[in-house]
């Protein structure tokens, strides 16, 4: 649901905010009575492009912060027991006993007995999970999803279940969505990098959940988070959830920012280049004309041989017939051909342009 809301926001908000911001910009920078750039003019388009870049960048930063805040607000068993992620079984057991002494249903009044019992059961689940090596390994990498995998016992079971029925289906569906969206012409910009990011993220997840310890890049991120932001470090499943959210955001932002940041193609060419293109076109037309002439000459020769076959022996009649047929072919075939006309017209134009002033008039 959150992903759908984010997609809707990315679809409508940047354009709406850009239009509103551009109106405010013109109201502040243009004095009353002065004309504003007309919609569709180059100046208006330039202002709109710059404002859209700022709006999309600001919204991207906000969505990154929102995703981080959402993932960071999710509690973990370590936070609920108030123990570090490096806590030993003895430290976890000791901490649970102290919490149990406070939150055990027998220690609370009758009014809070139900809530206290529920919380005590949750603390017991957290303590038991973190004291079981296989469950602790699986919880750190897959989160609360492991509690529905009742058939899993060993670390190998949890990893196989998570990779085959959690990670791979997720990325298969993501790949299918990217492919389908591409078929409809959306998100064309950066298509190669989008696939590259998807495959890289899939490999990162598989690498993260199959390692015995936390991957080095996660340790670096956790060190920065703990030092700069003063917050608990990410567990692997929290970091993976954050990466998935950021990937979706980056996909959409890339499709909107990319065309705006890409260099605009030059619509005008230089005179030298234009002249070179015209000369090349003339040469190609002349080459085509030469090829066509040779082919027609060969066809004419074969046709004339067939036509003069009945006049063999009468040299004068053959010569007259040959001249008449050649003239007819030139008038009705060669000169009437569109390629020949275009080539002659281009050659004549080039000759006039290269001639002295006043000539060919």
């Amino acid at each position: 649901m959150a992903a759908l809301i984010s997609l809707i926001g990315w679809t409508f908000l940047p354009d709406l905010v850009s239009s509103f911001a551009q109106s405010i910009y013109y109201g502040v920078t243009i004095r009353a009575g002065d004309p504003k750039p007309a919609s569709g003019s180059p100046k208006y388009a330039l202002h709109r492009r710059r404002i859209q870049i700022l709006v999309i960048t600001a919204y991207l930063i906000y969505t990154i912060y929102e995703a981080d805040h959402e993932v960071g607000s999710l509690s973990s068993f370590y936070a609920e027991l108030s123990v570090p992620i490096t806590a030993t079984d003895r430290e976890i057991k000791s901490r649970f006993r102290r919490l149990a002494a406070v939150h055990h249903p027998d220690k609370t009044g009758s009014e809070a007995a139900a809530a206290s019992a529920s919380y005590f059961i949750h603390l017991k689940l957290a303590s038991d999970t973190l004291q079981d090596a296989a469950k602790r390994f699986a919880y750190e990498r897959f989160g609360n999803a492991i509690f529905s995998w009742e058939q899993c016992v060993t670390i190998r079971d949890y990893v196989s279940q998570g990779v085959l029925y959690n990670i791979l289906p997720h990325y298969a569906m993501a790949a299918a969505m990217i492919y389908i969206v591409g078929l409809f012409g959306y998100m064309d910009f950066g298509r190669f990098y989008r696939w590259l990011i998807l495959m890289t993220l899939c490999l990162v997840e598989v690498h993260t959940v199959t390692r015995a310890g936390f991957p080095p890049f996660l340790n670096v991120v956790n060190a920065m988070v703990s030092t700069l932001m003063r917050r608990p470090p990410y567990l692997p499943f929290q970091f993976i959830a954050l990466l998935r959210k950021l990937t979706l955001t980056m996909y959409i932002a890339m499709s909107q920012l990319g065309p705006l940041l890409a260099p605009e193609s030059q619509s005008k060419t230089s005179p030298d280049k234009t002249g070179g293109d015209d000369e090349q076109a003339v040469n190609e037309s002349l080459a085509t004309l030469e090829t066509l002439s040779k082919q027609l000459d060969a066809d004419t020769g074969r046709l004339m041989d067939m036509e003069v076959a009945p006049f063999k022996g009468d040299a004068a009649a053959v010569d007259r017939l040959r001249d008449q047929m050649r003239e007819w072919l030139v008038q009705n075939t060669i000169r009437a051909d569109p390629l020949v006309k275009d080539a002659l017209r281009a050659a004549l134009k080039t000759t006039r342009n290269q001639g002295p002033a006043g000539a060919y008039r």
Side-chain angles (χ1 to χ4, degrees):
M1 185 64 181
L4 180 60
I5 295 176
S6 177
L7 181 60
I8 294 175
W10 273 107
T11 303
F12 298 103
L13 282 181
D15 286 337
L16 292 176
V17 175
S18 297
S19 300
F20 182 69
Q22 191 167 8
S23 300
I24 295 178
Y25 172 75
Y26 286 153
V28 172
T29 59
I30 298 178
R31 294 181 298 180
D34 291 344
K36 298 180 180 179
S39 178
S41 64
K43 189 174 183 180
Y44 182 92
L46 177 62
H47 292 164
R48 182 57 176 262
R49 174 173 169 268
R50 291 175 176 175
I51 291 174
Q52 276 189 309
I53 291 175
L54 292 176
V55 169
I56 294 174
T57 303
Y59 191 59
L60 174 62
I61 295 174
Y62 167 74
T63 52
I64 292 175
Y65 168 78
E66 183 185 29
D68 177 70
H69 178 73
E70 182 180 351
V71 172
S73 63
L74 298 176
S75 183
S76 68
F77 287 166
Y78 291 99
E80 291 166 353
L81 293 175
S82 299
V83 294
I85 59 177
T86 57
T88 62
D89 291 350
R90 178 177 296 181
E91 292 172 339
I92 294 172
K93 184 182 295 185
S94 175
R95 181 59 183 170
F96 171 71
R97 287 176 177 175
R98 288 197 295 269
L99 292 174
V102 177
H103 299 285
H104 194 280
D106 296 339
K107 302 292 184 179
T108 59
S110 58
E111 296 180 356
S116 180
S118 176
Y119 186 61
F120 177 80
I121 293 173
H122 183 74
L123 292 177
K124 184 68 167 61
L125 175 64
S127 175
D128 293 343
T129 300
L130 297 184
Q131 292 184 65
D132 186 298
K135 290 183 179 180
R136 182 174 182 174
F137 179 94
Y139 173 77
E140 291 176 345
R141 286 150 182 80
F142 302 105
N144 293 330
I146 66 169
F147 299 117
S148 62
W149 304 344
E150 298 178 356
Q151 74 280 8
C152 297
V153 177
T154 64
I155 292 178
R156 183 184 183 89
D157 294 338
Y158 282 110
V159 171
S160 299
Q161 179 76 17
V163 172
L164 296 178
Y165 298 98
N166 188 316
I167 295 178
L168 295 184
H170 170 80
Y171 284 98
M173 184 176 297
M177 289 299 298
I178 292 177
Y179 179 75
I180 293 173
V181 169
L183 290 180
F184 289 95
Y186 296 101
M187 296 186 180
D188 284 338
F189 187 88
R191 181 179 300 177
F192 169 77
Y193 295 101
R194 192 172 294 114
W195 284 105
L196 180 62
I197 291 172
L198 183 69
M199 291 186 292
T200 302
L201 188 58
C202 180
L203 294 176
V204 167
E205 283 200 28
V206 173
H207 174 74
T208 301
V209 302
T210 54
R211 283 182 59 90
F214 290 5
F217 61 83
L218 181 55
N219 292 330
V220 173
V221 172
N222 283 336
M224 296 175 60
V225 167
S226 301
T227 303
L228 301 178
M229 304 177 66
R230 303 293 182 181
R231 52 181 294 178
Y234 291 114
L235 292 174
F237 80 88
Q238 293 174 323
F239 187 67
I240 288 173
L242 178 62
L243 287 180
R244 290 184 179 183
K245 291 178 179 293
L246 294 183
T247 301
L248 177 61
T249 299
M250 291 301 299
Y251 281 171
I252 303 174
M254 185 187 302
S255 65
Q256 296 192 14
L257 271 179
L260 297 175
L261 295 175
E264 298 179 357
S265 59
Q266 299 293 331
S267 58
K268 296 183 179 180
T269 56
S270 61
D272 295 340
K273 185 176 180 181
T274 303
D277 292 341
D278 291 342
E279 184 177 356
Q280 182 179 0
V282 171
N283 293 333
E284 291 177 355
S285 299
L286 291 175
T288 303
L289 175 61
E290 182 180 2
T291 303
L292 181 61
S293 299
K294 291 180 179 180
Q295 182 179 357
L296 289 176
D297 184 64
D299 293 340
T300 301
R302 288 193 297 269
L303 181 60
M304 290 178 63
D305 290 339
M306 293 174 59
E307 293 294 335
V308 301
F311 300 94
K312 285 185 177 180
D314 189 349
V318 170
D319 291 339
R320 287 195 304 272
L321 180 60
R322 189 186 300 273
D323 293 338
Q324 292 176 0
M325 291 181 63
R326 181 179 290 109
E327 183 179 357
W328 182 88
L329 287 172
V330 170
Q331 294 293 337
N332 295 278
T333 304
I334 299 178
R335 292 184 179 179
D337 190 275
L339 292 176
V340 176
K341 290 182 178 180
D342 292 341
L344 290 174
R345 190 179 299 110
L348 182 60
K349 182 179 179 181
T350 303
T351 303
R352 288 178 175 176
N353 292 336
Q354 294 177 353
Y360 307 104
R361 294 184 180 275

